[in-house]
Amino acid sequence: MSATTVREAALAAPPPPGGRRRRYRAPDAAGPVTYVLLVVTAFLFIVPFYYMVVAASRPMAEMNTSPPPFLPGPYLWQNITTALDQQAIGLSIVNSLIVSGITTAGTLLFCTLAGFAFAKLRFRGKKALFAITIGTLMIPPSLGVVPLYKLMSDWGLAGRLESVILPTLVSAFGVFFMRQYLVQTLPDELLEAAKVDGASSTRTVVSIVLPIARPGMAVLGMLTFMTSWNDFFWPVITLNSTTPTVQVALNNLGSGYVPDTSIIMAGTLVGTLPVIVVFLLLGRQIVSGIIAGAVKG
């Protein structure tokens, strides 16, 4: 919507009762300070990725010189090939896609349903259950490692991808996030109208709740996918070299008395590319979804 359209809509709106119409004021344009801050912030985020590309395309001896080289070298493909030969990077990417995809789908389903229940439904123990859910966020994940590993071992899942997927199918943060989102964006009148029309609970969720929750689900899905892809602590404990994820494979790639940082950077570059591709494909949709949700709210 252009500034002219916004101004026409503001002028066409009726004045408040008993008051004068406020004069429309267009939003101020971004000044030079804003652009400087944006450029500095973008630079701080881009530099580590650029350094990773430079280090992945140079021998380790050149990267250890002072000052180090600032331009990419000719050994990028050679280092990537060496990394792929030393560790099953391709298999680890497939495993990470499986784990991250299933975890994201499960989190979106269960957290959206639980968030809707806590936001709009009435049942006994609602406040107590929500307080317990939020309270689990205060428990350090390291405290549950031993009982969780014993449970996975008793079920015969230790060393398999299921041991990473099952504990992360639902998260307390996701439940809290979707609950807060639906409280703000889902009007009670819509649910009452659906009830009057005789819609079942399933029909109400599918036709009303999910379309309204879509922008929030897009944000939660991206956060969950990134968290699952970058998870290292639990996968390195329960998985082995035959079923590694990307982070486990990179950890094994860096083992040895004198790890080759160029090979590690090359493997890291390969493991980072799928996440960058997903963000480039879905980033615009997520931003537009957030804006649409804000307008509806």
Side-chain angles (χ1 to χ4, degrees):
M1 183 179 293
S2 62
T4 303
T5 307
V6 174
R7 182 178 181 181
E8 292 176 354
L11 293 175
R20 299 176 59 185
R21 186 194 305 272
R22 292 186 177 181
R23 187 175 181 180
Y24 172 77
R25 181 181 179 184
D28 297 332
V33 177
T34 303
Y35 286 106
V36 170
L37 292 177
L38 290 176
V39 170
V40 172
T41 303
F43 178 79
L44 293 177
F45 278 94
I46 292 175
V47 165
F49 291 99
Y50 180 75
Y51 177 79
M52 178 176 62
V53 175
V54 173
S57 60
R58 296 275 186 173
M60 185 176 65
E62 293 185 7
M63 296 306 301
N64 291 335
T65 59
S66 182
F70 296 101
L71 296 177
Y75 299 99
L76 178 60
W77 182 250
Q78 179 180 344
N79 290 338
I80 291 177
T81 304
T82 304
L84 295 177
D85 292 337
Q86 292 184 5
Q87 291 293 327
I89 303 295
L91 175 62
S92 66
I93 291 178
V94 174
N95 290 339
S96 290
L97 287 175
I98 294 174
V99 172
S100 301
I102 297 178
T103 299
T104 302
T107 299
L108 291 179
L109 174 63
F110 296 125
C111 291
T112 301
L113 295 178
F116 168 65
F118 283 125
K120 297 299 180 179
L121 300 184
R122 297 179 181 178
F123 54 91
R124 292 183 179 180
K126 172 181 175 180
K127 293 183 178 180
L129 289 175
F130 187 68
I132 294 174
T133 302
I134 299 301
T136 57
L137 293 173
M138 305 178 185
I139 302 176
S142 56
L143 294 181
V145 168
V146 174
L148 183 59
Y149 184 83
K150 186 177 186 307
L151 182 63
M152 294 295 108
S153 179
D154 293 340
W155 289 354
L157 299 179
R160 300 172 57 181
L161 297 180
E162 291 86 341
S163 62
V164 180
I165 296 173
L166 287 180
T168 56
L169 284 178
V170 64
S171 65
F173 170 77
V175 174
F176 173 77
F177 180 87
M178 294 307 303
R179 187 260 182 191
Q180 296 302 111
Y181 185 85
L182 292 174
V183 164
Q184 298 294 329
T185 59
L186 182 59
D188 295 334
E189 291 77 8
L190 285 179
L191 300 178
E192 294 174 359
K195 187 176 181 180
V196 170
D197 291 341
S200 62
S201 300
T202 303
R203 180 66 181 274
T204 300
V205 171
V206 173
S207 302
I208 297 178
V209 177
L210 293 183
I212 293 178
R214 191 176 300 166
M217 294 173 64
V219 177
L220 179 61
M222 175 58 70
L223 295 176
T224 303
F225 185 89
M226 296 289 292
T227 302
S228 179
W229 184 274
N230 296 323
D231 190 16
F232 171 76
F233 180 66
W234 174 241
V236 79
I237 294 176
T238 186
L239 298 180
N240 50 47
S241 58
T242 60
T243 57
T245 57
V246 168
Q247 308 306 324
V248 177
L250 293 179
N251 177 69
N252 296 334
L253 191 64
S255 61
Y257 186 73
V258 182
D260 192 332
T261 55
S262 297
I263 304 301
I264 297 175
M265 289 298 179
T268 304
L269 178 62
V270 175
T272 306
L273 288 179
V275 181
I276 298 177
V277 171
V278 170
F279 180 78
L280 292 177
L281 294 177
L282 303 180
R284 185 180 297 274
Q285 298 180 9
I286 292 174
V287 173
S288 61
I290 295 174
I291 296 175
V295 172
K296 291 179 181 179

